[in-house]
Amino acid sequence: MNEHDLVTRLRNGERRALARAISLVEQGGSAARAVLAAAYPYAHAHRVGVTGPPGAGKSTLVTALAQEWRKRGVTVGIVAVDPSSPFSGGAVLGDRIRMQVLGGDPGVFIRSMASRGRMGGLARATADAVTLIAAAGFSVVLIETVGAGQDEVDIAQTADTTIVVEVPGMGDDVQSIKAGMLEIADIFVVNKADRPGADQTVRQLRTMLQLGGGSTDGWVPPVLTAVATTGEGCGQVVDAVNQHRQFLTTTDMPARRALMVAERELTTAIQELVLERLRGPRWNTIVGEIAARRRDPYAAASELLDGWPT
């Protein structure tokens, strides 16, 4: 089966074809590039990032939001970036276990991906997987990050709407705001709002938003509460996402964000293509010389790139 046939099949709703296509882009190489080239024009889903500190209940919230969208007849794709196994390098799959309630629904597609130690909470192929899921016709794609805390800002360059999840009683109140979350959040959700201290967390978030001087684009991030385990408040979160999506149509932000995403995708593609072409017979020899301190990495890089346009 060639790459165009694979994309045709996934666009016709074949789950197996979609799963195979995502596996291809995770592996990289010419086949992955061909699949993405064929799928790229059809990727029009609204991408919703869900991030926040570990223990905030992101997976449970993603599951509850997906259920709410399904009640409204909206198809949902989910990309859950799990921590990597220290032994195999693969995804731990904790998110898939928590999302089992969605299994069997033809309007939901779930894919777990290993972070492989990538900073920023997103796996290398996350954006490519989102492109394929969108091309398969899913209207909303939820992207759940690892939840590393201090480096969860990559999601803002991938998602159209970014949800930052907080919980009361974390000790260091609103801890993730220190990592720049205030700037990337389009919607705040205080999950586990049935716990003591939820009202205080909401007040703190709203105060910090006021002190932050407001958004440069005119959107004021709402601070909502939810109890994801019961679904309480999830309807309001979905409403807020829809409102933000509508708001984006009244600004030039989609165009500016599209340019930012395009530049990032181009940069990533160039980096991967260059590395792929450079990993020839000399690569391991040079790596060994660097490890033995007989050569420095900068001189080695210059040598490998010798002859490339400057």
Side-chain angles (χ1 to χ4, degrees):
M1 182 193 313
N2 63 42
E3 290 76 15
H4 286 276
D5 289 340
L6 188 62
V7 172
T8 298
R9 287 177 53 188
L10 72 85
R11 291 190 64 221
N12 288 333
E14 292 189 33
R15 297 283 190 105
R16 190 182 298 272
L18 177 55
R20 181 176 176 184
I22 294 176
S23 295
L24 276 176
V25 302
E26 285 188 295
Q27 295 167 10
S30 58
R33 292 193 291 272
V35 166
L36 288 167
Y40 205 84
Y42 307 105
H44 300 297
H46 189 70
R47 299 162 297 178
V48 180
V50 180
T51 188
K58 296 186 296 295
S59 297
T60 307
L61 181 64
V62 165
T63 302
L65 293 178
Q67 290 176 308
E68 179 64 30
W69 260 301
R70 291 300 296 137
K71 290 177 186 176
R72 304 183 187 198
V74 177
T75 54
V76 181
I78 299 172
V79 178
V81 184
D82 274 321
S84 300
S85 164
F87 303 104
S88 68
V92 175
L93 300 182
D95 291 333
R96 281 291 282 272
I97 294 171
R98 287 185 284 271
M99 295 178 186
Q100 282 183 339
V101 66
L102 299 172
D105 186 338
V108 177
F109 179 86
I110 305 171
R111 180 70 175 223
S112 288
M113 307 181 76
S115 64
R116 302 187 189 278
R118 172 72 180 269
M119 298 298 284
L122 294 181
R124 177 190 59 81
T126 299
D128 294 340
V130 171
T131 295
L132 293 172
I133 293 171
F138 291 89
S139 299
V140 172
V141 182
L142 289 160
I143 311 159
E144 181 200 340
T145 70
V146 171
Q150 295 296 316
D151 296 283
E152 292 290 277
V153 294
D154 273 6
I155 189 65
Q157 297 178 328
T158 301
D160 301 304
T161 300
T162 301
I163 298 173
V164 172
V165 186
E166 290 289 341
V167 287
M170 291 292 286
D172 183 6
D173 289 336
V174 204
Q175 59 155 341
S176 66
I177 299 303
K178 297 183 298 187
M181 294 299 200
L182 193 67
E183 290 78 14
I184 70 168
D186 298 307
I187 299 166
F188 281 103
V189 176
V190 178
N191 191 28
K192 305 180 184 181
D194 52 346
R195 289 184 176 181
D199 291 342
Q200 180 183 356
T201 303
V202 169
R203 287 195 300 271
Q204 287 178 328
L205 284 167
R206 288 176 176 163
T207 299
M208 295 185 78
L209 284 170
Q210 292 172 354
L211 293 174
S215 172
T216 57
D217 58 18
W219 172 260
V220 179
V223 181
L224 307 174
T225 58
V227 182
T229 52
T230 64
E232 180 183 339
C234 291
Q236 288 82 358
V237 177
V238 169
D239 289 340
V241 172
N242 291 337
Q243 290 164 9
H244 184 251
R245 184 176 189 176
Q246 182 62 35
F247 170 80
L248 291 175
T249 66
T250 67
T251 72
D252 65 346
M253 180 170 288
R256 288 189 285 118
R257 183 168 291 182
L259 288 172
M260 179 179 66
V261 171
E263 182 173 4
R264 182 186 182 193
E265 290 176 338
L266 178 61
T267 301
T268 301
I270 290 173
Q271 289 171 339
E272 293 185 1
L273 192 57
V274 168
L275 278 173
E276 184 179 315
R277 292 182 178 181
L278 290 178
R279 287 180 185 273
R282 299 170 57 206
W283 182 271
N284 288 337
T285 300
I286 291 176
V287 169
E289 291 175 349
I290 294 171
R293 293 294 191 269
R294 293 195 300 270
R295 185 191 296 246
D296 72 89
Y298 302 101
S302 296
E303 180 181 329
L304 284 169
L305 292 170
D306 187 37
W308 283 61
T310 58

